[in-house]
Amino acid sequence: MKRSARIRIALLGFLLGPASAWGAILRSRSAAGMPGSGAAGANGSVPWNILVLLTLLTLLPSLLLAMTPFARLLVVFHFLRQALGTQTTPTNQTLIGLSLILTFFLMQPVMANIYDAAVVPYEKGRVDAMQAAELGAVPLRHFMLKFAREKDLALFLELAKQPRPARPEDVSMRVVMPAYILSELKTGFQIGAALYLPFLVVDMVVAAITTSIGMLQLPPVVISTPLKILLFVMVDGWNLLVGSLMKSFA
């Protein structure tokens, strides 16, 4: 098969999803008379790694939310926007993009460990796909266990009806993943509530002053919003917030 035909098939996989791309690959291999076409092919070999890779691409958004700091960062940024009183500024796309960049920054050491532990042996043919997935799960499990609360782990151990493990490394991913995302949501709400309080004080002070001088027809938010933005800019709020969030994962 020519290289251009393979490129078109790959693009088709990204557009139509794993099932359609898999069918397109099989049809193209059958038309070219290559081995591996049909159910098992002439020599019984099936490129399962392509199927696994395309399937993982569809699960990538869910994995990003459940197994990385993305959820905590996005929750905190949305709390900040609500506290400032700027309804759509920064936009959702800006906050999601910032969260993605910070998530990549935090997860880069973990991804490097996964690459060394799983991808390199798989590329060299020392392990198969399932063994590579098990090896790659070890650094990710270690990262999630570091930030998952014992209370949440105990809850999902009870729900899964699994015995209490002797070591943290013995906790299954089935328990670690929901416990981690629950812990991240709780931490994000805690940081967001603490972030909200100073701006709430500004709102209360402005509302008390405007009411005491008889400015009943002027909404307090008209005055408090510029003051909150000015206060946030003066203290270099973005630098302080992002720095504190990054240190919370240290």
Side-chain angles (χ1 to χ4, degrees):
M1 187 188 300
K2 294 182 179 181
R3 183 178 180 182
S4 59
R6 288 197 292 266
I7 294 175
R8 287 196 297 270
I9 291 172
L11 292 175
L12 182 63
F14 282 103
L15 294 175
L16 300 182
S20 301
W22 181 243
I25 291 172
L26 291 180
R27 288 193 296 270
S28 63
R29 292 172 68 92
S30 177
M34 297 180 63
S37 60
N43 58 359
S45 63
V46 178
W48 288 107
N49 53 347
I50 299 177
L51 179 62
V52 171
L53 178 61
L54 294 176
T55 304
L56 287 177
L57 287 176
T58 63
L59 299 176
L60 187 60
S62 300
L63 296 177
L64 181 66
L65 286 172
M67 305 172 71
T68 66
F70 181 81
R72 182 196 299 193
L73 297 171
L74 194 59
V75 167
V76 172
F77 290 147
H78 276 284
F79 266 105
L80 173 65
R81 188 173 64 181
Q82 293 295 323
L84 287 173
T86 55
Q87 300 299 324
T88 57
T89 304
T91 61
N92 289 331
Q93 291 83 353
T94 303
L95 295 182
I96 292 173
L98 179 59
S99 301
L100 283 173
I101 292 173
L102 296 179
T103 299
F104 176 79
F105 179 83
L106 291 169
M107 294 298 294
Q108 196 274 334
V110 180
M111 290 188 293
N113 293 334
I114 293 175
Y115 180 81
D116 294 335
V119 178
V120 172
Y122 179 70
E123 289 178 344
K124 294 182 178 179
R126 295 201 296 262
V127 297
D128 57 20
M130 294 302 297
Q131 292 173 334
E134 294 176 359
L135 293 173
V138 174
L140 195 58
R141 183 191 296 114
H142 178 73
F143 172 81
M144 290 190 291
L145 282 173
K146 186 177 180 181
F147 300 102
R149 298 186 307 162
E150 293 186 6
K151 183 178 181 180
D152 296 326
L153 290 171
L155 170 64
F156 286 100
L157 280 172
E158 180 182 356
L159 293 176
K161 297 180 180 177
Q162 296 181 3
R164 188 179 183 88
R167 302 178 305 166
E169 293 77 10
D170 297 332
V171 183
S172 64
M173 291 294 286
R174 179 190 175 192
V175 172
V176 174
M177 288 178 60
Y180 171 77
I181 189 65
L182 200 63
S183 302
E184 286 295 283
L185 289 176
K186 176 179 173 58
T187 305
F189 272 79
Q190 288 177 334
I191 298 174
L195 187 65
Y196 212 107
L197 290 178
F199 299 105
L200 181 61
V201 171
V202 175
D203 286 331
M204 294 175 62
V205 171
V206 171
I209 293 175
T210 56
T211 303
S212 63
I213 62 178
M215 299 175 61
L216 301 178
Q217 295 181 351
L218 181 65
V221 69
V222 175
I223 301 176
S224 63
T225 298
L227 292 178
K228 289 187 292 186
I229 295 175
L230 181 61
L231 175 64
F232 187 73
V233 172
M234 288 179 61
V235 300
D236 199 5
W238 285 111
N239 183 278
L240 293 176
L241 177 61
V242 173
S244 301
L245 285 173
M246 295 296 100
K247 292 176 183 178
S248 68
F249 289 99

Coordinates of all heavy atoms in Angstrom, one line a residue, residues 9 15 48 50 54 66 72 79 87 89 112-113 122 133 137 168 178 190 201 205 248:
I9 N -6.1 6.8 5.3 CA -6.8 5.9 6.3 C -6.6 6.4 7.7 O -7.6 6.4 8.5 CB -6.2 4.5 6.1 CG1 -6.6 3.9 4.8 CG2 -6.7 3.6 7.2 CD1 -6.0 2.5 4.5
L15 N -11.4 11.0 12.0 CA -12.7 11.7 11.8 C -13.9 10.8 12.1 O -14.9 11.3 12.6 CB -12.8 12.1 10.3 CG -11.8 13.1 9.8 CD1 -11.9 13.3 8.3 CD2 -12.1 14.5 10.6
W48 N -3.7 -5.5 16.3 CA -4.5 -5.1 17.4 C -4.0 -3.8 18.0 O -4.8 -3.0 18.6 CB -4.5 -6.2 18.5 CG -5.3 -7.4 18.1 CD1 -4.8 -8.6 17.7 CD2 -6.7 -7.5 18.0 NE1 -5.9 -9.5 17.4 CE2 -7.0 -8.8 17.6 CE3 -7.8 -6.6 18.3 CZ2 -8.3 -9.3 17.4 CZ3 -9.1 -7.1 18.1 CH2 -9.4 -8.4 17.7
I50 N -3.3 -1.1 16.5 CA -4.0 0.0 15.8 C -5.3 0.2 16.5 O -5.8 1.3 16.7 CB -4.1 -0.2 14.3 CG1 -2.7 -0.3 13.7 CG2 -4.9 0.9 13.7 CD1 -2.7 -0.6 12.2
L54 N -6.5 3.6 18.5 CA -7.7 4.4 18.1 C -8.8 4.4 19.2 O -9.5 5.4 19.3 CB -8.2 3.8 16.8 CG -7.3 4.0 15.6 CD1 -7.9 3.3 14.3 CD2 -7.0 5.5 15.3
A66 N -10.2 12.2 34.7 CA -10.3 11.3 35.8 C -8.9 11.0 36.4 O -8.8 10.6 37.6 CB -10.9 10.0 35.4
R72 N -9.2 19.7 39.2 CA -9.0 20.6 40.3 C -8.7 22.0 39.7 O -9.2 23.0 40.2 CB -7.8 20.2 41.2 CG -7.5 21.1 42.3 CD -6.2 20.9 43.0 NE -6.0 19.6 43.5 CZ -5.0 19.2 44.3 NH1 -4.1 20.1 44.7 NH2 -4.9 18.0 44.8
F79 N -14.3 29.1 39.9 CA -14.6 29.8 41.1 C -14.0 31.2 41.1 O -14.6 32.2 41.6 CB -14.0 29.0 42.3 CG -15.0 28.1 43.0 CD1 -14.9 26.7 42.8 CD2 -16.0 28.6 43.8 CE1 -15.8 25.9 43.4 CE2 -16.9 27.7 44.4 CZ -16.8 26.4 44.2
Q87 N -18.6 37.6 34.1 CA -19.4 36.4 33.8 C -18.7 35.5 32.7 O -18.7 34.3 32.9 CB -20.8 36.9 33.2 CG -21.6 37.8 34.2 CD -21.9 37.0 35.4 OE1 -22.2 35.8 35.4 NE2 -21.9 37.7 36.6
T89 N -15.5 36.3 31.3 CA -14.1 36.7 31.1 C -13.3 36.2 32.3 O -13.6 36.6 33.4 CB -14.0 38.2 30.9 OG1 -14.8 38.6 29.9 CG2 -12.6 38.6 30.6
A112 N 6.8 10.8 31.4 CA 8.2 10.4 31.1 C 8.4 9.0 31.7 O 9.0 8.1 31.1 CB 9.2 11.4 31.5
N113 N 8.0 8.8 32.9 CA 8.1 7.5 33.6 C 7.3 6.4 32.9 O 7.8 5.3 32.7 CB 7.7 7.6 35.1 CG 8.6 8.5 35.9 OD1 9.8 8.6 35.6 ND2 8.1 9.1 37.0
Y122 N 7.6 -1.9 24.9 CA 6.6 -2.3 23.9 C 7.1 -2.1 22.5 O 6.9 -2.9 21.6 CB 5.3 -1.6 24.1 CG 4.2 -1.9 23.1 CD1 3.6 -3.1 23.1 CD2 3.8 -1.0 22.1 CE1 2.6 -3.4 22.2 CE2 2.8 -1.3 21.2 CZ 2.2 -2.5 21.3 OH 1.3 -2.8 20.3
A133 N 0.4 -1.9 29.2 CA -0.7 -1.2 29.9 C -0.5 -1.4 31.4 O -0.6 -0.4 32.2 CB -2.1 -1.6 29.5
A137 N 0.6 1.7 34.1 CA -0.3 2.1 35.1 C 0.4 2.3 36.5 O -0.1 3.0 37.4 CB -1.4 1.0 35.3
P168 N 0.0 0.4 49.8 CA -0.7 1.2 48.8 C -0.6 0.8 47.4 O -1.5 1.0 46.6 CB 0.0 2.6 49.0 CG 0.6 2.6 50.3 CD 1.0 1.1 50.6
P178 N -11.7 6.4 41.0 CA -12.8 7.2 41.5 C -12.4 8.0 42.8 O -12.9 9.1 43.1 CB -13.9 6.2 41.8 CG -13.3 4.9 41.8 CD -12.1 5.0 40.9
Q190 N -12.5 23.4 48.1 CA -11.9 24.0 49.2 C -11.0 25.2 48.8 O -11.1 26.3 49.4 CB -11.0 23.0 50.0 CG -11.7 22.0 50.7 CD -10.8 20.9 51.4 OE1 -9.7 20.7 50.9 NE2 -11.3 20.3 52.4
V201 N -16.0 39.7 50.8 CA -15.8 40.9 51.7 C -15.9 42.2 51.0 O -16.6 43.1 51.5 CB -14.5 40.7 52.5 CG1 -14.3 42.0 53.3 CG2 -14.5 39.5 53.4
V205 N -18.8 45.1 51.7 CA -18.4 46.5 52.1 C -19.0 47.5 51.1 O -19.6 48.5 51.6 CB -16.9 46.6 52.1 CG1 -16.5 48.1 52.3 CG2 -16.3 45.8 53.3
S248 N 0.8 23.1 45.4 CA -0.1 22.1 46.0 C 0.1 20.7 45.5 O -0.3 19.7 46.1 CB -1.6 22.5 45.9 OG -2.0 22.4 44.5

